[in-house]
Amino acid sequence: MYTVAEENYIKSIYHLQRHQKSVHTNDLAAELNTRAASATDMIKKLEAKGLLKYEKYYGCSLTKSGKKLALNIIRRHRLWEFFLSEKLGFGWEEVHAVAEQLEHVQSDLLTDKLDAYLGFPRFDPHGDPIPDTLGNMAAREQTPLSLWTSQAPAEVCGVGSQDESFLEMLSLKQLEIGCRLTVLRHFNFDKTVELQLATGSSFTISEMLAKNIFVKPVEV
Amino acid sequence: MYTVAEENYIKSIYHLQRHQKSVHTNDLAAELNTRAASATDMIKKLEAKGLLKYEKYYGCSLTKSGKKLALNIIRRHRLWEFFLSEKLGFGWEEVHAVAEQLEHVQSDLLTDKLDAYLGFPRFDPHGDPIPDTLGNMAAREQTPLSLWTSQAPAEVCGVGSQDESFLEMLSLKQLEIGCRLTVLRHFNFDKTVELQLATGSSFTISEMLAKNIFVKPVEV
DNA sequence: CGAAATATTTAGCCAAAGCTAAAAATATAT
DNA sequence: ATATATTTTTAGCTTTGGCTAAATATTTCG
Ligand SMILES: [Mn+2]
Ligand SMILES: [Mn+2]
Ligand SMILES: [Mn+2]
Ligand SMILES: [Mn+2]
């Protein structure tokens, strides 16, 4: 149906659209490690296929059918990540790269059978919600630790990057999905955050790290 | 490492090589549903990469490293077929098409973890042996029913085609891998074969069918 | 406002993998 | 042994998805 390149563009546009209303050529090119000229070309092709709306020099945004396709690709990606992590024993820093390939296997039957086999999981190993067949998914709560001011205990429920070294660092510091902690204080000078794990150990993390760890209130 | 097209050529050449010493351009093109001119082009590219030896107007044959690659692709293909059939509940006539896509996911870690997860299976759902990491696999016994003259009970252990309608027909006639039967007689006139299942029911199958069902003596 | 900087598009390339039609080599048949 | 048929290769074209460099539009700043 769609080429790998087309699917990668659609997925990237979808992700960029969460932050901007309209997706700019340069941002898209950066996201896909390609050049603006190439992005412009592909945007035109995707518009011709009715997957997005495009206004010259302004940007593009997905149509209904573009969004539907994006959600299907994201569904495949996250289901495979869950499979790799849960069934095959991959580390959460390893799954993304392999899922980038697996997400392009086109078979709705496969996707749905995989979903059922995995027990209809609602979140991938990074805490991102998995869309169902219709494209519905859990709303993501993503308060970054950098903005978490409450004294109440918090639970790590997501991460803001798929970077391998970032995820490895989190594992090393025992900061994985589901882990509980309290924020002891925010240092205003350099925006570092001091926190304490449920295990008792406490330490300080950089602003960059704090921005990429999402937490939610601990369920009662 | 290698493109999908390259991998498909290598795999086809490997399969054709079982029958001919040297693989001819036309046969290769037919196998891949493409044209002789395209096959010639790709053969040259693959020779430049050291995967095969090529003599103009004569044909080509895989080098050591070409064979190694072919076995790795076949390993991936058959492991995925086993996964789809065994874990996801696909029918044996459905797995081949999906495995054609999955076989091109390139990650040795994935292949090996999948192998372990599946319990190191030795045969795929069609009875074809699965190569291990080193490329070793069980020898296949493939006496077609058309040549099985013994009165002794035989066990179905392989099929000679991946065609969906063929495999569906076999399921319908209860002729699946592992099934036991005895050959009652060969009709010389039209080469049809009369056989009897372990269930007691007996019927006659066409020459074409008989040629594509492989059997072996029942283990004692 | 107008100049400089930045963003985007266009034009003109390239490589991969396919195709058709024509040329060349090989095989077959009279 | 020559003529015919088949197979294979070559030449030239197409599409997809890249690229660079130049042109054009937009934004920002003095
Ligand atoms: Mn991912
Ligand atoms: Mn991808
Ligand atoms: Mn198969
Ligand atoms: Mn394939």
Side-chain angles (χ1 to χ4, degrees):
Chain A
M1 208 63 173
Y2 296 101
T3 67
V4 169
E6 286 171 338
E7 290 195 341
N8 282 336
Y9 270 95
I10 290 294
K11 196 176 58 149
S12 291
I13 293 168
Y14 180 90
H15 283 134
L16 290 171
Q17 234 176 197
R18 275 191 327 194
H19 307 297
Q20 303 132 277
K21 264 293 83 113
S22 192
V23 173
H24 299 294
T25 308
N26 259 354
D27 298 347
L28 184 53
E31 175 81 11
L32 285 161
N33 285 309
T34 181
R35 301 313 170 100
S38 308
T40 301
D41 285 349
M42 182 59 90
I43 286 170
K44 287 178 184 166
K45 285 177 205 164
L46 296 175
E47 184 179 40
K49 297 197 178 190
L51 295 171
L52 52 79
K53 240 177 356 136
Y54 170 50
E55 269 182 84
K56 259 191 183 180
Y57 289 103
Y58 173 70
C60 66
S61 65
L62 296 181
T63 61
K64 200 109 188 177
S65 79
K67 266 177 208 144
K68 195 180 148 197
L69 174 57
L71 283 165
N72 196 245
I73 301 163
I74 290 168
R75 169 169 158 78
R76 292 178 328 225
H77 182 98
R78 293 181 181 164
L79 281 174
W80 282 118
E81 284 193 347
F82 187 92
F83 169 76
L84 295 174
S85 162
E86 210 64 25
K87 300 288 188 182
L88 298 196
F90 274 75
W92 76 337
E93 77 283 359
E94 298 173 313
V95 299
H96 184 75
V98 179
E100 271 309 309
Q101 294 186 66
L102 285 163
E103 73 186 0
H104 301 292
V105 173
Q106 288 170 348
S107 164
D108 287 344
L109 183 60
L110 171 61
T111 308
D112 293 341
K113 279 184 181 283
L114 180 65
D115 195 12
Y117 178 62
L118 297 175
F120 305 103
R122 307 192 53 230
F123 297 93
D124 79 9
H126 311 107
D128 295 314
I130 302 176
D132 68 16
T133 327
L134 301 171
N136 301 315
M137 57 181 159
R140 81 173 74 207
E141 325 201 31
Q142 46 180 15
T143 311
L145 258 185
S146 52
L147 297 178
W148 181 265
T149 49
S150 153
Q151 307 295 309
E155 180 178 324
V156 175
C157 64
V159 292
S161 160
Q162 308 286 5
D163 185 275
E164 282 202 32
S165 62
F166 164 64
L167 295 173
E168 264 171 23
M169 182 170 43
L170 287 195
S171 298
L172 221 73
K173 291 180 189 281
Q174 311 271 359
L175 287 167
E176 304 198 305
I177 301 288
C179 136
R180 305 211 165 163
L181 55 84
T182 44
V183 168
L184 299 183
R185 60 183 300 186
H186 293 269
F187 292 101
N188 224 13
F189 176 66
D190 58 0
K191 311 290 185 198
T192 56
V193 180
E194 189 180 5
L195 49 83
Q196 182 163 38
L197 299 187
T199 63
S201 76
S202 66
F203 50 91
T204 300
I205 61 175
S206 71
E207 181 190 14
M208 194 170 165
L209 213 55
K211 278 183 169 169
N212 282 290
I213 300 173
F214 303 140
V215 293
K216 65 176 183 184
V218 169
E219 318 266 335
V220 234
Chain B
M1 208 62 173
Y2 296 102
T3 67
V4 169
E6 286 171 339
E7 289 196 341
N8 282 335
Y9 271 94
I10 290 294
K11 196 177 59 151
S12 290
I13 294 167
Y14 180 90
H15 284 133
L16 290 171
Q17 236 177 196
R18 275 190 327 194
H19 307 296
Q20 304 130 279
K21 262 297 79 113
S22 192
V23 173
H24 299 293
T25 307
N26 259 354
D27 298 347
L28 184 54
E31 175 82 12
L32 285 160
N33 286 307
T34 182
R35 301 313 170 97
S38 307
T40 301
D41 285 349
M42 181 59 90
I43 287 170
K44 287 178 184 166
K45 285 176 205 164
L46 296 175
E47 184 179 39
K49 297 197 179 190
L51 295 171
L52 52 79
K53 240 176 358 137
Y54 169 51
E55 269 182 84
K56 260 191 185 180
Y57 291 101
Y58 172 69
C60 66
S61 64
L62 296 180
T63 60
K64 200 110 190 176
S65 78
K67 267 177 207 142
K68 196 180 147 198
L69 174 57
L71 284 165
N72 196 245
I73 301 163
I74 290 168
R75 169 170 159 78
R76 291 178 329 223
H77 182 98
R78 293 183 180 163
L79 282 174
W80 281 119
E81 284 193 347
F82 187 91
F83 169 76
L84 295 174
S85 162
E86 210 63 25
K87 300 288 187 181
L88 298 196
F90 274 74
W92 75 337
E93 77 283 359
E94 299 173 312
V95 299
H96 184 75
V98 180
E100 271 308 309
Q101 294 186 65
L102 284 163
E103 74 185 0
H104 300 294
V105 173
Q106 288 170 347
S107 162
D108 287 344
L109 182 60
L110 171 61
T111 309
D112 293 341
K113 278 184 182 283
L114 180 65
D115 196 11
Y117 178 64
L118 298 175
F120 305 101
R122 304 191 54 230
F123 297 93
D124 79 9
H126 311 107
D128 294 315
I130 301 176
D132 68 16
T133 327
L134 301 170
N136 301 315
M137 56 181 158
R140 81 174 74 205
E141 324 202 30
Q142 47 180 15
T143 311
L145 259 185
S146 52
L147 299 177
W148 182 265
T149 48
S150 153
Q151 308 294 311
E155 179 179 323
V156 175
C157 63
V159 292
S161 158
Q162 308 286 3
D163 185 274
E164 282 202 30
S165 62
F166 164 65
L167 295 173
E168 265 171 23
M169 180 167 46
L170 287 196
S171 299
L172 220 73
K173 291 179 187 285
Q174 311 271 359
L175 287 167
E176 304 200 304
I177 300 289
C179 137
R180 307 215 165 157
L181 55 84
T182 44
V183 168
L184 299 182
R185 60 182 300 185
H186 293 268
F187 292 101
N188 225 14
F189 176 67
D190 59 0
K191 311 289 185 198
T192 56
V193 181
E194 188 181 6
L195 48 83
Q196 182 163 38
L197 298 187
T199 63
S201 75
S202 65
F203 50 91
T204 300
I205 62 175
S206 71
E207 180 189 16
M208 195 170 163
L209 211 56
K211 278 182 169 171
N212 283 289
I213 300 172
F214 303 140
V215 293
K216 63 176 185 185
V218 170
E219 316 266 336
V220 234

